[in-house]
Amino acid sequence: MIRKILIANRGEIAIRIIRACREMGIETVAVYSEADRQALHTQLADEAVCIGPAAAKDSYLNMEQIISATLVTGADAIHPGFGFLSENHRFAQLCEACNITFIGPDSMTISKLGNKAMARTTMIQAGVPVIPGSEESLTDENRALTIAKEIGFPVIIKAVLGGGGKGMRVAYSEDEFIQEFLTAQKEASMAFGDNHMYLEHFVENPRHIEVQILADQHGNVIHLGERDCSIQRNHQKMIEESPSIAVSEELREKMGKAAVQAAKAAGYTNAGTIEFLLEEDEKFYFMEMNTRIQVEHPVTEWVTGIDLVKEQIRIADGRVLSYTQDDVQIKGHAIECRINAEDPKHNFRPCPGTITDMYLPGGKGIRIDSAIYSGYTISPYYDSMIAKLIVYAKSRKEAIAKMHSALGEVIIEGITTNIDFLYDILERDDYQEGDITISYMDHVLEEMQEESKWI
Ligand code: MV4
């Protein structure tokens, strides 16, 4: 039985996990870098262990240090959160070898789904719709061109070990293909130390819809509906919501069934997310599967009433899912805004610094997941996301009104944030009408530039 969990992360997600553990009567161990001595997660956990210098590679990515901290404190399990080591199959394998429960799927499953070409093959075999593309991973540009012509332009060139947008290029015609392929391949080599690529037909202006699943170690798999994550910039999501305005009850059931099929085909356990692209005519395609808890998990928690982090821990502990598919009812509407220490007026550059004063809103249907406090200094070493504001109401319209009102109350002094920018998005007609695709933010920024607003 899991009695003590080491949290191999920082910031708001570390706090989120500490809270779940405390409510479950599980002891917590925080790990922290030299830059995070004053961080909230360091102070809030039952125990805290310093694991190295500020740079992530020396601390939060340092597997040996984290394993040592686990063994020294006698923790039974590690929760990796998101980012850092959360989708690193070698870290999961190291946990397995040391008899530490990794709160996530097994290392083999992480590895198989981390290989995006292999994931595609698995999904094809499982009967999950995938985007027409290459059936093999490619290294030779001429062979790739032959296949690109078969697929039909435009094609998107992706790194097999990629994901989240790195090492990705679009070729609109035969003439530009070779150059784009070689550029993408170079980027992939640099970023992932691997030059294997795959191709897909490029889907223009889809929505990014992802389905949350939970799978226990006894073969039970359920889905928890979808999140619409179309509003993003440079592959960084900005506003997420559940349910999606573009998903009907019938489509939800279809995508949910596909997601469950996908998880079963992969032999998946724990919480996971299946990313789909959704076209105008309700056609949807598998893109990739994320093997971690995601930043935007709270919107799903609110419309389903299910605590995803607690379920993750229960699953890792070998227990049966607390819910059957019939127990899952999507009710109301939830929206999340990511609050970042960044300057929208200067290409969203990170703005670390000290918070001199702050006020955060509350009230019915308002949740804030954050690790900031008045007097806290945001470090330049880590991600610029400092808080998540999540709202819940009966309808999308009421949720938007609540988010707008709540954003208006936020005060964070001493640093620059994107709060006013988010506030302006909430006021837009196209946003309010739900007229959003993955290119939404590009259009908005272009329009703002023309009006000399913000940029
Ligand atoms: C695509 C696509 C269009 N067609 N694949 C971006 C990150 C990675 N998960 C895959 N991505 C895309 N793959 C095909 N075949 C468009 C994107 C894409 C995107 C996807 C979701 C959210 C935002 C995006 C922004 C640009 C491109």
Side-chain angles (χ1 to χ4, degrees):
M1 209 182 76
I2 296 176
R3 288 173 36 248
K4 197 191 242 193
I5 293 176
L6 180 138
I7 298 134
N9 215 299
R10 64 182 304 283
E12 62 86 17
I13 192 62
I15 306 294
R16 170 73 187 85
I17 298 161
I18 291 169
R19 287 175 177 153
C21 290
R22 197 149 283 153
E23 289 173 27
M24 292 172 85
I26 296 168
E27 287 182 78
T28 56
V29 180
V31 291
Y32 64 96
S33 71
E34 286 166 13
D36 274 345
R37 284 187 195 285
Q38 303 305 321
L40 201 57
H41 78 282
T42 307
Q43 301 186 52
L44 224 53
D46 297 320
E47 294 170 68
V49 181
C50 185
I51 50 166
K57 67 167 174 40
D58 300 319
S59 48
Y60 298 106
L61 290 173
N62 188 328
M63 302 191 208
E64 290 75 21
Q65 282 283 44
I66 292 168
I67 296 287
S68 298
T70 309
L71 298 175
V72 163
T73 56
D76 322 290
I78 294 179
H79 197 306
F82 47 67
F84 297 123
L85 296 169
S86 60
E87 297 187 278
N88 186 313
H89 68 94
R90 284 174 298 117
F91 181 63
Q93 193 176 35
L94 201 53
C95 290
E96 287 159 11
C98 296
N99 245 324
I100 299 163
T101 301
F102 177 85
I103 302 175
D106 61 74
S107 61
M108 189 64 90
T109 305
I110 297 174
S111 169
K112 281 185 178 160
L113 290 168
N115 181 312
K116 309 300 173 189
M118 211 183 271
R120 263 179 68 85
T121 308
T122 306
M123 297 312 152
I124 294 166
Q125 284 165 1
V128 176
V130 301
I131 304 157
S134 56
E135 304 279 307
E136 57 191 292
S137 50
L138 303 157
T139 51
D140 180 76
E141 65 273 20
N142 295 307
R143 171 82 185 131
L145 177 60
T146 306
I147 291 171
K149 286 194 240 172
E150 286 169 22
I151 295 167
F153 289 94
V155 297
I156 186 164
I157 305 151
K158 298 181 177 182
V160 164
L161 296 189
K166 252 195 249 162
M168 222 175 69
R169 276 285 189 289
V170 180
Y172 288 90
S173 67
E174 208 177 311
D175 339 318
E176 60 187 44
F177 181 82
I178 298 276
Q179 194 187 334
E180 295 297 339
F181 184 89
L182 293 173
T183 309
Q185 197 174 31
K186 208 170 289 163
E187 272 178 30
S189 296
M190 299 282 272
F192 317 110
D194 183 277
N195 70 350
H196 288 77
M197 311 301 287
Y198 68 107
L199 308 178
E200 283 174 355
H201 180 72
F202 180 62
V203 182
E204 282 176 277
N205 294 322
R207 288 181 190 246
H208 172 125
I209 306 289
E210 56 185 34
V211 177
Q212 177 73 53
I213 63 103
L214 286 173
D216 67 20
Q217 296 175 25
H218 309 278
N220 305 299
V221 186
I222 61 171
H223 74 86
L224 274 54
E226 78 287 355
R227 297 184 285 259
D228 193 321
C229 304
S230 301
I231 304 186
Q232 52 81 46
R233 188 193 146 267
N234 286 349
H235 305 294
Q236 287 295 110
K237 293 167 187 165
M238 197 180 280
I239 305 173
E240 305 100 334
E241 61 185 278
S242 183
S244 167
I245 187 171
V247 176
S248 63
E249 194 57 56
E250 300 79 65
L251 182 57
R252 177 166 307 116
E253 189 155 324
K254 265 170 105 179
M255 294 182 81
K257 279 196 173 135
V260 168
Q261 287 275 77
K264 283 185 172 164
Y268 198 88
T269 58
N270 217 287
T273 299
I274 294 88
E275 289 186 359
F276 294 103
L277 290 180
L278 174 65
E279 286 192 290
E280 199 66 32
D281 53 359
E282 300 211 331
K283 276 217 277 292
F284 63 90
Y285 305 97
F286 169 86
M287 238 192 343
E288 48 193 79
M289 180 162 184
N290 300 325
T291 60
R292 59 174 191 276
I293 189 79
Q294 295 199 195
V295 174
E296 59 271 27
H297 76 275
V299 295
T300 298
E301 295 193 316
W302 226 333
V303 298
T304 60
I306 295 173
D307 186 315
L308 284 169
V309 176
K310 283 188 187 167
E311 280 308 304
Q312 281 195 291
I313 296 168
R314 295 183 76 263
I315 291 166
D317 212 5
R319 300 175 60 182
V320 173
L321 286 183
S322 308
Y323 307 88
T324 65
Q325 191 65 60
D326 285 343
D327 295 330
V328 181
Q329 299 289 339
I330 310 296
K331 193 180 157 206
H333 203 96
I335 304 175
E336 172 179 279
C337 280
R338 298 189 185 191
I339 298 174
N340 300 329
E342 66 186 13
D343 186 357
K345 284 197 172 73
H346 290 95
N347 203 26
F348 296 86
R349 70 166 176 220
C351 293
T354 301
I355 296 172
T356 53
D357 192 21
M358 66 174 230
Y359 170 80
L360 298 176
K364 179 170 158 53
I366 295 185
R367 165 175 172 182
I368 291 176
D369 279 20
S370 86
I372 57 172
Y373 55 85
S374 194
Y376 176 67
T377 301
I378 294 144
S379 163
Y381 285 94
Y382 314 110
D383 196 273
S384 64
M385 189 180 77
I386 55 169
K388 304 187 304 206
L389 171 56
I390 309 107
V391 302
Y392 176 77
K394 285 200 302 292
S395 66
R396 184 170 189 271
K397 197 169 178 208
E398 290 164 280
I400 292 172
K402 196 183 281 286
M403 180 62 85
H404 185 251
S405 166
L407 282 169
E409 279 188 41
V410 178
I411 299 172
I412 301 176
E413 302 279 5
I415 57 161
T416 306
T417 73
N418 63 338
I419 290 163
D420 294 346
F421 182 86
L422 290 165
Y423 189 84
D424 280 6
I425 299 294
L426 268 281
E427 289 185 341
R428 293 176 61 93
D429 289 343
D430 47 15
Y431 172 73
Q432 290 177 9
E433 280 156 25
D435 192 4
I436 47 179
T437 69
I438 60 170
S439 14
Y440 178 73
M441 199 45 68
D442 296 337
H443 296 310
V444 169
L445 290 170
E446 224 170 273
E447 200 180 301
M448 286 177 171
Q449 197 148 30
E450 276 160 22
E451 293 168 13
S452 299
K453 196 177 175 187
W454 284 105
I455 37 178

